[in-house]
Amino acid sequence: MSEPELKKLFPGKHISLVARGKWEFVTRNTNRPAVGIVAITDDEKVVLVEQARPATNATLIELPAGLAGDVAGAEQEPLVEAAKRELLEETGYTAERWTELVSGYSSPGLTDELIVLFLAEGLKKVNAGGGDGSENIVVHEVPVNAVLAWLAQRGSKADMKLLAGLYVAMQMRSSE
Amino acid sequence: MSEPELKKLFPGKHISLVARGKWEFVTRNTNRPAVGIVAITDDEKVVLVEQARPATNATLIELPAGLAGDVAGAEQEPLVEAAKRELLEETGYTAERWTELVSGYSSPGLTDELIVLFLAEGLKKVNAGGGDGSENIVVHEVPVNAVLAWLAQRGSKADMKLLAGLYVAMQMRSSE
C-alpha cells in the first residue's frame, strides 16, 4: 500500500491522535504492545479482573493485561516479563509455564494498538493482587468453559481480548 | 465509580481525543457501535476480508465489519441492518439467518468503542463484494477450524474481533 507520512494531530500525555493521509487513528506514546494473560488454574478456572474503566464509564470484567515498558527504567522489558509483572500485580498469581498464544490488533480501523496474549499455567497464588496504587481491582476465578454464561448472568459486556484469548487457548489445548 | 465530566481534548473529523478525569481515550464522533460478522458458508468456511489499514501501515485479514449509522440518512439504522449492509458490501454475500453473538469492548483502556458481533448463516453469493468506492477488499473463505493455522502460514497478525467471534460462534454451536 502507499505510505503517506504520519501526521500528529494532537499529542496527549499518554496517547495521541494522528493521521496517515486522511485516516485518523490513535496511538500510544510508548509505541510498545499491550500484553494480556489467559491464566488458567489447575482446576480449570480462568483468572479475570474487574475494574473501573473511565472510557466506558463502567466497571468491566477483563483479562489481566497491561502495557509493556510502562515502568520507569524498564521501557524495553521483554513482553513475557511485562505479562508476568501484570499478572502478579493485578491477580497475585505467579505461573510456572508461559506460552505465547497470538499477536493481534484490537481495533485496526481506530488504532495501531497490538496486543500479545500469553497462556499462563501452573499458577500459584502469592499475594492478594489488586493492582498498583492507582488501580482498584477485584479478582474473579471462573470455570473456563462457563465464561460466556457467567458474563451473561452478570449482564456484563465482554472484553474482546478475553474471548480471543480463550479461543486460541482452547484451540491450542484441543490440538495437543 | 465516580463520573468526572468528559472533556474534549481534540475533535477530529471522524474520531476525537477526550478525557474523563486524567484518563485519556478516543471516541467515535458518531457515538454508535461497530458491527462485525462471523459469516459461515454451508461448507463450513468463514468469510474474511483483506484490506489495507492505514493505522497499522499494512494489509490485514479481518472479520467483515463496519460502523452502524455511517451512511447519510440512515444514522439510526438497527445494528443487524448495518451488519447486513456491511456483509453484502464487503463480501457480496447475503444470509438467511442472523444471530447476535456478543457485545464487547475492543480496547477499554484506550477507547469506548463497543463492537456487536453477529453470526450469519445460510449464505448466498450475490455479487463480487469488494467494499464501497473507498475500499479495495479481497475476500477469503477459510475452513472455520483452520483459521489460526491459515493466518500463521501467511505470517499475518490476528484481528482480535475475529478470534472473539469464532470463540462465541463455536461455543454457541457446540451447545446446540
Side-chain angles (χ1 to χ4, degrees), chain B residues 7-71:
Chain B
K7 189 168 65 177
K8 190 154 277 197
L9 299 175
F10 183 88
K13 191 171 176 195
H14 302 287
I15 62 177
S16 296
L17 199 67
V18 296
R20 194 183 302 279
K22 290 184 173 176
W23 197 278
E24 301 170 346
F25 61 98
V26 68
T27 188
R28 292 191 189 279
N29 297 349
T30 55
N31 283 317
R32 294 217 61 206
V35 294
I37 307 102
V38 181
I40 300 183
T41 64
D42 289 348
D43 61 345
E44 290 294 305
K45 290 178 175 165
V46 61
V47 183
L48 302 179
V49 294
E50 178 177 5
Q51 64 185 315
R53 282 298 202 176
T56 69
N57 212 11
T59 292
L60 292 190
I61 308 276
E62 300 172 54
L63 271 192
L67 301 178
D70 77 337
V71 174

Side-chain angles (χ1 to χ4, degrees), chain B residues 117-133:
Chain B
L117 298 181
F118 291 90
L119 178 65
E121 297 169 300
L123 299 187
K124 189 177 165 190
K125 187 95 176 174
V126 297
N127 68 48
D132 65 24

Side-chain angles (χ1 to χ4, degrees), chain A residues 2 4 24 35 86 117-118 133 142 164 174:
Chain A
S2 64
E24 300 169 345
V35 294
E86 292 288 348
L117 298 181
F118 291 89
V142 181
S174 73

